[in-house]
Amino acid sequence: MPAVQETVERVRAIDVDQYKYGFVTDIESEKAPKGLSEDTVRYISARKNEPEWMLEWRLDAYRRWLTMEEPTWARVSYPKIDFQDYYYYSAPKAAPKSIDEIDPEILKTYEKLGIPLRERDALLGIQREGGSKVAVDAVFDSVSVATTFKEELAKAGVIFMPISEAIREHPELVKKYLGSVVPVSDNFYATLNSAVFSDGSFVYVPKGVRCPMELSTYFRINERNTGQFERTLIIADEGAYVSYLEGCTAPQRDENQLHAAVVELVAMKDAEIKYSTVQNWYPGDKDGKGGIYNFVTKRGDCRGDNSKISWTQVETGSAITWKYPSCILRGDNSQGEFYSIAISNGHQQVDSGTKMIHLGKNTSSRIISKGIAAGHSDNTYRGLVSAHRKATGARNFTNCDSLLIGDLCGAHTVPYMEAKNASAQFEHEATTSKISEDQLFYCLQRGLSQEEAVALIVNGFVRDVLQQLPMEFAVEAQKLIAVSLEGSVG
Amino acid sequence: MLEIRNLHARIGENEILKGLDLTIPDGEVHAIMGPNGSGKSTLSYVLSGKPDYEVTDGSVSFDGADLLALDADARAAAGVFLAFQYPIEIPGVANMTFLRAAMNAQRKARGEEEISTPDFLKLVRAKAPDLGISQDMLRRGVNVGFSGGEKKRNEILQMALLEPKLCILDETDSGLDIDALKVVAHGVNALRSPKRSMLVITHYQRLLDHIVPDVVHVMHKGRIVRSGGKELALELEESGYAAYAQDAA
Amino acid sequence: MTINVRPARTAAEEAIAAALEASITAEAGQGRIPEVRRAARDAFLSHGLPSRRVEEWKYTDLRAAVRDFPNCAPAPGAMEEAEAAPLVPSLPNAGRILFVNGVLSRAGSDFAALSEGVTALPLDAAIAAGDPLADRINALSPSRYDGPLALNTGFLGEGVALRVDAGVKAARPVHIAHAFPGVEAVAGFTRTVVVVGAGAEVTLVETFAGRDGVAYQSNHAVELVVGDGAIVNLVRIQEEGDAAFHFGTLMLELGREAKLNLFALAQGAALARYNVYGRFEGTGAHAGIRGATLARGRQHSDTTLVIDHAVAGGESRELFKTVLADESHGVFQGKIVVRRAAQKTDGRMMSQSLLLSDRAEMDNKPELEIFADDVQCGHGATAGALDRSMLFYLRSRGLPEKEAEMLLIQAFLGEAVEYVEDADLRDLLIERISGWLEKRAV
């Protein structure tokens, strides 16, 4: 049997139920009544002690949502979602006031998660030797349970807090920016999020400030039948810089849990935002049962001249991924980047990519996407690059490569390129291939095992993207790739 | 032939030529030497009319006419030829097609008859072998798949066919081994004539052993800072450019 | 599940529906043809003209573009035939079949003069005679609804059926010429069925031309079966009048180790769409599908390919070049599908476009849909202006701007044209392209 065939057999045999994070934390929680109605929206708003304007904003979104239809254009299929069958709010009882008050069960959960380790350490206030400081906002089901290093950040003038707090404490900033990148009626899921979002992170980096540490949010869905709708808003004012990391897990459940987040980034003149995600929601079992439905709207607005927004994502989890982190290149000379690794195994379905909308002059964008499909999964890259009439000097380079492991999966590439301007230079290339017998043989001949060889080659395949992640994150991502792809590897 | 007065030029916001004066009489070979970044290549581009460069002050008169008023192709037709430091690759345009199109365009601009195909072929066949240009190189796309030496020889072949009045050689020696350099220099020397002037831009003295100049100029920070006979090149080889860097600074 | 909420019919859709009904009522055809036509009519009645909400028509919105529907033309008379003559490129070596206004011109066609082993029959004659070729009609239609193709099938009647016997190397090309010479706008629909036997070889040339300023609708579909080991060269020259609508469809089936070498030049029509559905049915087949699109003014030109590798070992090469001047709009959509069984498929698709004006627009959508792991597939797309350093190099050698541009554009297109193996046809294409460039340069 040829080496590649052997690998294929092994991958096929992998027990994808080996999901490492599939434990449930046993804590008492408080939930909104099941289902979605204006009352649910009012309940959430009341639980958060929100001002009237915020409730109105949510209700407006809810009413719009009622008139919208679920999009069907993505290459994913799933039974119709019953939106009345979910809980839209779940919080650990007795919200903690400081880290010491956090339910030890929750802390144990973060300990058990292991990935990313720094978050747990940071949550416990430990700074590892040699490791850089990371401020963490941990979101458990619907609420933020802890935010670390708050004071230190405040000294630099950086605001980093749960968005529920920001709504109360910095209403002028929230009012100004919330919904300014992803409008309330942007799409079905974003509108739903606008109505029912429960928590998330808020970051404001003032003019000229380089955020002194990495900011991080850790999301975990714990409750059964719970939707998690977090909302993140990051603003880098003129000349500011911030790097933000996001990690996600969920316990193993055999029903589908719903996740519909919205992330808005605003980069003013000369500002830069780096947003990295390692998404490892529960992907479902080997028969495709359970797993997270992940419908996410992420968008960055390069609002000022010379601004830059960079998205990096490592997507290994979720039963369904519907996600297109995008950049609106509005400012002159602004830059957008999208680096993505999307790995699908089992019965996972991934439809992910980006949009680069060139509006300003001399804007540039770069897209590097690496899709790896194994098992019975389908993995689609979908991307749009457009240069408008007045976007003279727009530049894009796109490279999307797909790798298939086994012959029961599918890898698809659907790029759209719209050039409305002669001075735009677009270059796109895409390839689909398998792990070459020659490469594999070379590794085996040098003494690597089959699994090690595949992991090595896959890591080489995704290297360009891994390099974009902050170092410690990259190491974890690399491990995660091996785990999600092989189970028997690493 | 060529008279440059107080030439200032910039690319974008960057002023590179800052009041350059240079006169090249008929039939003379002038060399311009200077450290990297002194503006040597910019001078060659400004003289040949590259659109990215903006002349902000000064004048260039070529055989009494205002060279700066002409487009790049009109300058070529008037007799200015630039041998590029990095000749451009043009896939899909056969070298032969290109040579002939260029020749006829220049003739047409000067009000001359187009060259007939047999005459053109005869001409190319007469000149190509001396420069080691094979039939295959003539058939291929312009400079496509050519080695560094082949590209430079192709430049000299164009020069030989187009018979310009002013030849500007921009670092023609860069990337050439000694044998290739000799072939190129031989081709250039064969074109020396009392009616033809040359401006040889180089970083090293080496090329000037083979193409012996009448006058050597030293360029620094966008101006000619010293001129002398061919012995000046040898002196520079000894002492380097450091002295000029100090003087001018 | 998609809920099909169809907006009210447009005036054009109403006119088309009425014309379809009238045409089928007047003369439905023989054998299974009436059934095929009615099915197409029903499909049209439920889907209508595709709008940009239909993914495949995202960049070419027929619902918005097609405003009315002219009548189908009667059989051409001597006058029309005379007027058609200058619209037919001369191919001295080819046997010709001529359609004027979408209707077979018996006088202008030479069924007898085709090469030995090549049989051509008027489509209606093939149907009437129960020729096996007639069974092939509509056999290769895609399962997904395609508006212009549905109309082509709904109005089915005119056309030609061609057979190349197994093992025959046709000595002369077959030229299928379409001319729309009239001052009156008409709608013309033709269907060509070609079956090339095992090991046979033939060159087909399709040409399309018409009077400028007349908003005629020209709709032609070809069903081409390339038998095992057969070789087909197909050259298509679309130079419709500048107010015309042009819809071309090629449905292609490749047998084992069959080979197709297609080149499609598109430089006419106000709105043109060329749709290729290629299916690899036998192992080891090769398809070279290439073309050049040139557009100026407010022309809209769309090329859409679906290359379906159903079996192992297929090889496809797609290369399309687009040159856009003024406010023209170019569209390239190309999808390579590799099914589970199609291991060892090697598919390469490239779309390159040159924008000569800031008001021109190019939309590229190359797609890969891959279900087999042991494949080598790739696509690329570029869009941009002429390379400035090349332009300067040429100008520094004395070429005036327009001439330098023309040379670079010719070289750009030449990279695709050079795949046409027949020297006469290659020269003809270069001549047509040069003509376009010279007209533009003036």
Side-chain angles (χ1 to χ4, degrees):
Chain A
M1 184 157 55
V4 167
Q5 190 53 38
E6 228 169 275
T7 310
V8 167
E9 296 300 332
R10 275 182 214 211
V11 171
R12 194 175 286 159
I14 290 168
D15 182 3
V16 288
D17 295 340
Q18 284 179 349
Y19 182 67
K20 259 171 78 177
Y21 312 99
F23 52 86
V24 180
T25 307
D26 197 10
I27 51 155
E28 267 196 281
S29 68
E30 177 188 7
K31 284 185 276 203
K34 207 179 201 181
L36 184 52
S37 65
E38 283 206 7
D39 288 343
T40 319
V41 176
R42 287 177 196 281
Y43 176 91
I44 294 168
S45 188
R47 293 294 305 144
K48 297 283 170 189
N49 293 322
E50 283 178 355
E52 188 60 26
W53 62 266
M54 196 63 232
L55 174 62
E56 282 310 315
W57 198 83
R58 285 175 181 276
L59 288 171
D60 173 50
Y62 174 70
R63 287 169 199 140
R64 285 179 195 233
W65 180 75
L66 290 175
T67 69
M68 295 169 88
E69 273 182 57
E70 229 179 308
T72 54
W73 43 261
R75 199 192 174 88
V76 290
S77 63
Y78 49 91
K80 195 147 179 61
I81 296 172
D82 180 359
F83 288 92
Q84 297 306 334
D85 199 30
Y86 284 95
Y87 290 103
Y88 287 83
Y89 184 81
S90 163
K93 262 190 185 159
K97 297 205 170 48
S98 78
I99 265 187
D100 306 330
E101 286 178 35
I102 295 175
D103 190 322
E105 285 294 317
I106 296 181
L107 281 184
K108 257 191 237 161
T109 300
Y110 284 104
E111 256 176 85
K112 266 194 251 176
L113 289 170
I115 292 176
L117 282 167
R118 293 162 299 99
E119 269 85 353
R120 188 203 60 196
D121 292 351
L123 270 176
L124 300 172
I126 302 164
Q127 194 189 338
R128 269 189 293 165
E129 219 172 307
S132 51
K133 250 190 249 178
V134 180
V136 179
D137 184 19
V139 177
F140 201 80
D141 285 337
S142 302
V143 293
S144 171
V145 292
T147 306
T148 60
F149 292 115
K150 237 168 143 175
E151 279 116 63
E152 200 170 332
L153 287 166
K155 253 182 258 162
V158 175
I159 304 171
F160 179 42
M161 56 174 59
I163 199 161
S164 52
E165 272 177 57
I167 289 166
R168 295 190 299 266
E169 291 177 27
H170 300 282
E172 70 301 337
L173 286 174
V174 175
K175 266 191 204 170
K176 186 171 173 190
Y177 293 106
L178 189 71
S180 74
V181 185
V182 178
V184 168
S185 56
D186 189 78
N187 68 69
F188 184 80
Y189 298 109
T191 307
L192 174 62
N193 175 288
S194 299
V196 302
F197 77 84
S198 38
D199 221 329
S201 298
F202 175 83
V203 178
Y204 174 79
V205 187
K207 274 185 194 172
V209 172
R210 205 180 154 84
C211 187
M213 63 186 84
E214 307 257 5
L215 304 183
S216 176
T217 302
Y218 201 74
F219 296 103
R220 177 164 172 86
I221 300 179
N222 193 59
E223 272 302 316
R224 184 175 291 268
N225 284 351
T226 304
Q228 178 154 313
F229 305 92
E230 82 267 7
R231 183 104 193 177
T232 297
L233 175 58
I234 299 176
I235 302 128
D237 214 326
E238 287 184 15
Y241 169 85
V242 61
S243 168
Y244 184 92
L245 318 172
E246 177 198 82
C248 342
T249 61
Q252 194 166 332
R253 303 260 192 212
D254 58 10
E255 67 280 331
N256 300 104
Q257 286 157 287
L258 183 61
H259 175 248
V262 172
V263 175
E264 295 179 276
L265 310 182
V266 181
M268 306 305 282
K269 188 166 178 284
D270 300 319
E272 180 176 349
I273 301 175
K274 219 171 137 61
Y275 193 105
S276 313
T277 306
V278 172
Q279 185 264 111
N280 186 28
W281 300 114
Y282 177 51
D285 71 7
K286 65 178 191 313
D287 301 318
K289 206 168 171 209
I292 299 288
Y293 288 174
N294 191 26
F295 300 102
V296 177
T297 305
K298 289 184 167 177
R299 194 172 303 151
D301 188 356
C302 285
R303 207 163 281 182
D305 293 351
N306 311 313
S307 55
K308 181 175 177 184
I309 288 177
S310 179
W311 297 100
T312 305
Q313 60 173 30
V314 179
E315 300 279 316
T316 64
S318 299
I320 302 227
T321 302
W322 183 100
K323 182 183 176 192
Y324 316 90
S326 305
C327 295
I328 300 167
L329 302 167
R330 203 183 301 276
D332 291 350
N333 310 312
S334 59
Q335 293 176 50
E337 292 176 339
F338 175 75
Y339 298 97
S340 170
I341 298 169
I343 299 180
S344 56
N345 200 349
H347 288 264
Q348 282 177 273
Q349 302 175 58
V350 179
D351 196 301
S352 184
T354 183
K355 291 185 199 175
M356 293 290 173
I357 314 290
H358 293 257
L359 301 175
K361 297 194 193 325
N362 298 315
T363 51
S364 64
S365 62
R366 187 177 171 81
I367 298 170
I368 308 286
S369 163
K370 306 281 179 182
I372 297 147
H376 291 81
S377 68
D378 268 297
N379 200 323
T380 302
Y381 167 82
R382 188 182 303 277
L384 166 70
V385 177
S386 81
H388 284 245
R389 283 266 177 271
K390 288 179 179 159
T392 50
R395 296 274 178 280
N396 167 265
F397 175 76
T398 300
N399 175 292
C400 24
D401 294 328
S402 308
L403 197 64
L404 290 108
I405 300 178
D407 55 4
L408 298 171
C409 50
H412 319 295
T413 316
V414 191
Y416 300 76
M417 278 152 284
E418 304 175 359
K420 299 190 172 113
N421 187 304
S423 62
Q425 287 288 350
F426 286 179
E427 244 181 276
H428 169 100
E429 54 186 50
T431 65
T432 301
S433 53
K434 65 164 186 170
I435 293 177
S436 94
E437 291 281 350
D438 292 345
Q439 286 175 340
L440 207 53
F441 174 70
Y442 189 80
C443 294
L444 297 178
Q445 207 286 319
R446 293 292 182 270
L448 277 85
S449 73
Q450 191 90 346
E451 291 82 0
E452 285 166 332
V454 170
L456 188 81
I457 293 166
V458 168
N459 270 307
F461 177 72
V462 302
R463 198 181 48 132
D464 293 353
V465 176
L466 282 180
Q467 280 172 350
Q468 299 300 323
L469 287 169
M471 219 261 281
E472 294 155 83
F473 227 42
V475 173
E476 283 156 10
Q478 206 162 346
K479 283 188 210 143
L480 190 57
I481 288 165
V483 169
S484 46
L485 199 63
E486 279 262 88
S488 52
V489 173
Chain B
M1 170 152 323
L2 182 73
E3 225 175 286
I4 304 174
R5 289 285 163 266
N6 188 35
L7 188 62
H8 289 256
R10 65 178 184 189
I11 180 161
E13 298 296 305
N14 244 349
E15 184 170 62
I16 298 175
L17 300 185
K18 301 170 180 171
L20 183 132
D21 294 292
L22 178 67
T23 304
I24 306 181
D26 287 0
E28 287 191 6
V29 174
H30 286 219
I32 288 193
M33 301 181 72
N36 290 329
S38 56
K40 303 189 300 286
S41 285
T42 296
L43 176 62
S44 71
Y45 285 139
V46 168
L47 291 178
S48 52
K50 195 167 191 209
D52 308 338
Y53 294 85
E54 188 192 345
V55 173
T56 50
D57 200 3
S59 66
V60 178
S61 121
F62 181 67
D63 273 351
D66 178 6
L67 191 68
L68 299 177
L70 303 177
D71 281 341
D73 47 314
R75 294 186 201 195
V80 176
F81 181 93
L82 169 63
F84 284 58
Q85 183 180 2
Y86 304 107
I88 308 295
E89 296 187 11
I90 309 181
V93 178
N95 211 6
M96 273 302 245
T97 311
F98 167 68
L99 291 170
R100 199 166 152 217
M103 210 161 172
N104 280 333
Q106 292 200 17
R107 286 176 172 235
K108 212 164 116 191
R110 293 193 293 258
E112 298 165 15
E113 286 266 311
E114 290 198 359
I115 187 166
S116 74
T117 307
D119 286 351
F120 172 72
L121 290 174
K122 221 182 283 169
L123 202 59
V124 175
R125 268 192 219 118
K127 309 221 174 190
D130 282 350
L131 287 158
I133 307 251
S134 65
Q135 282 300 310
D136 181 53
M137 285 168 69
L138 291 167
R139 269 195 299 268
R140 270 191 274 166
V142 178
N143 295 321
V144 177
F146 287 21
S147 70
E150 286 172 336
K151 283 182 184 169
K152 296 294 169 77
R153 281 187 268 135
N154 197 33
E155 293 290 285
I156 306 306
L157 174 66
Q158 292 174 37
M159 195 163 105
L161 289 169
L162 297 170
E163 300 183 317
K165 287 188 202 157
L166 174 67
C167 306
I168 306 166
L169 303 165
D170 186 7
E171 308 242 358
T172 296
D173 50 333
S174 70
L176 293 187
D177 61 32
I178 189 66
D179 292 328
L181 182 67
K182 278 183 183 161
V183 174
V184 167
H186 179 77
V188 173
N189 286 328
L191 290 168
R192 288 181 82 148
S193 99
K195 295 266 170 201
R196 181 172 293 133
S197 308
M198 295 192 183
L199 180 60
V200 182
I201 291 170
T202 181
H203 191 78
Y204 300 106
Q205 190 267 339
R206 183 176 77 146
L207 177 68
L208 304 181
D209 287 342
H210 302 277
I211 304 172
V212 181
D214 299 300
V215 181
V216 174
H217 306 276
V218 180
M219 188 164 174
H220 184 68
K221 293 199 170 168
R223 308 171 65 159
I224 302 293
V225 291
R226 193 174 163 198
S227 302
K230 62 183 178 232
E231 62 289 345
L232 180 55
L234 292 166
E235 186 191 316
L236 283 170
E237 186 75 3
E238 289 281 310
S239 60
Y241 295 112
Y244 297 97
Q246 279 159 11
D247 288 357
Chain C
M1 188 185 68
T2 9
I3 305 153
N4 196 7
V5 196
R6 254 200 66 70
R9 281 204 195 119
T10 63
E13 285 171 332
E14 291 291 358
I16 293 168
L20 259 176
E21 203 53 59
S23 165
I24 292 173
T25 309
E27 200 186 343
Q30 293 174 291
R32 65 186 183 93
I33 300 303
E35 190 191 324
V36 166
R37 292 183 63 185
R38 284 191 196 107
R41 173 202 60 193
D42 293 346
F44 177 79
L45 291 178
S46 64
H47 296 275
L49 290 169
S51 75
R52 67 191 140 82
R53 289 171 172 278
V54 179
E55 181 64 23
E56 292 87 340
W57 296 85
K58 184 176 162 66
Y59 298 113
T60 302
D61 187 335
L62 292 189
R63 196 175 143 84
V66 178
R67 291 268 154 220
D68 46 26
F69 186 73
N71 293 322
C72 293
M79 203 179 80
E80 283 88 4
E81 273 161 354
E83 281 177 342
L87 296 171
V88 178
S90 151
L91 291 169
N93 187 34
R96 183 210 290 161
I97 291 155
L98 175 66
F99 292 90
V100 177
N101 296 328
V103 183
L104 183 68
S105 156
R106 283 167 206 265
S109 303
D110 204 348
F111 286 94
L114 301 174
S115 314
E116 210 176 309
V118 179
T119 316
L121 299 164
L123 198 66
D124 49 0
I127 295 166
D131 190 285
L133 285 171
D135 300 338
R136 297 291 193 151
I137 296 170
N138 216 37
L140 299 183
S141 275
S143 52
R144 249 184 102 84
Y145 175 76
D146 174 330
L149 181 59
L151 294 186
N152 189 285
T153 308
F155 283 103
L156 200 134
E158 287 299 327
V160 60
L162 258 169
R163 175 172 35 236
V164 183
D165 295 338
V168 166
K169 306 254 177 291
R172 308 169 58 192
V174 180
H175 177 190
I176 303 171
H178 300 269
F180 285 80
V183 289
E184 193 90 358
V186 294
F189 299 89
T190 73
R191 180 67 69 106
T192 301
V193 175
V194 186
V195 176
V196 182
E201 187 172 344
V202 68
T203 297
L204 305 172
V205 183
E206 282 185 284
T207 63
F208 307 86
R211 187 185 287 270
D212 280 343
V214 182
Y216 63 90
Q217 297 187 15
S218 174
N219 184 326
H220 312 279
V222 175
E223 296 184 74
L224 171 61
V225 180
V226 186
D228 294 349
I231 299 174
V232 173
N233 296 301
L234 174 57
V235 170
R236 186 176 206 275
I237 301 176
Q238 187 270 98
E239 298 172 308
E240 303 275 19
D242 60 12
F245 286 86
H246 174 89
F247 303 108
T249 309
L250 172 65
M251 291 160 276
L252 167 73
E253 185 185 290
L254 289 170
R256 189 168 42 80
E257 284 170 26
K259 202 177 153 200
L260 170 80
N261 189 12
L262 162 68
F263 189 90
L265 172 67
Q267 55 186 42
L271 181 149
R273 161 98 161 197
Y274 186 42
N275 235 325
V276 176
Y277 298 98
R279 199 170 155 86
F280 284 68
E281 282 292 342
T283 55
H286 173 95
I289 298 178
R290 301 181 180 88
T293 297
L294 299 97
R296 61 166 173 261
R298 305 197 54 154
Q299 279 181 295
H300 178 109
S301 196
D302 176 336
T303 302
T304 295
L305 317 175
V306 181
I307 308 300
D308 187 346
H309 290 268
V311 293
E315 186 179 70
S316 68
R317 292 287 178 274
E318 292 83 29
L319 172 61
F320 277 80
K321 300 270 189 172
T322 306
V323 175
L324 301 172
D326 309 330
E327 289 167 67
S328 62
H329 186 176
V331 178
F332 176 82
Q333 306 183 101
K335 186 194 249 184
I336 298 179
V337 182
V338 179
R339 297 189 187 267
R340 203 130 279 166
Q343 295 291 2
K344 306 273 179 209
T345 291
D346 180 348
R348 296 290 142 98
M349 181 179 287
M350 173 58 99
S351 160
Q352 295 174 318
S353 42
L354 268 183
L355 278 69
L356 303 178
S357 147
D358 267 339
R359 289 160 300 154
E361 173 175 347
M362 181 69 201
D363 295 315
N364 262 312
K365 188 188 166 202
E367 252 184 278
L368 294 172
E369 196 175 298
I370 299 189
F371 295 97
D373 62 339
D374 190 5
V375 299
Q376 288 290 335
C377 284
H379 64 224
T382 62
L386 282 169
D387 185 296
R388 282 156 49 90
S389 61
M390 287 187 195
L391 262 180
F392 171 63
Y393 190 69
L394 291 174
R395 295 192 70 193
S396 81
R397 295 296 178 260
L399 290 159
E401 192 170 2
K402 285 281 171 206
E403 215 172 300
E405 271 187 27
M406 221 149 98
L407 197 61
L408 289 178
I409 296 168
Q410 274 169 332
F412 172 77
L413 298 171
E415 288 171 342
V417 178
E418 70 181 22
Y419 286 96
V420 175
E421 282 164 22
D422 183 308
D424 291 341
L425 289 173
R426 204 167 52 229
D427 289 347
L428 177 67
L429 286 165
I430 291 168
E431 179 205 307
R432 304 322 267 203
I433 289 170
S434 302
W436 187 93
L437 290 172
E438 271 155 28
K439 245 194 265 171
R440 182 190 161 257
V442 173

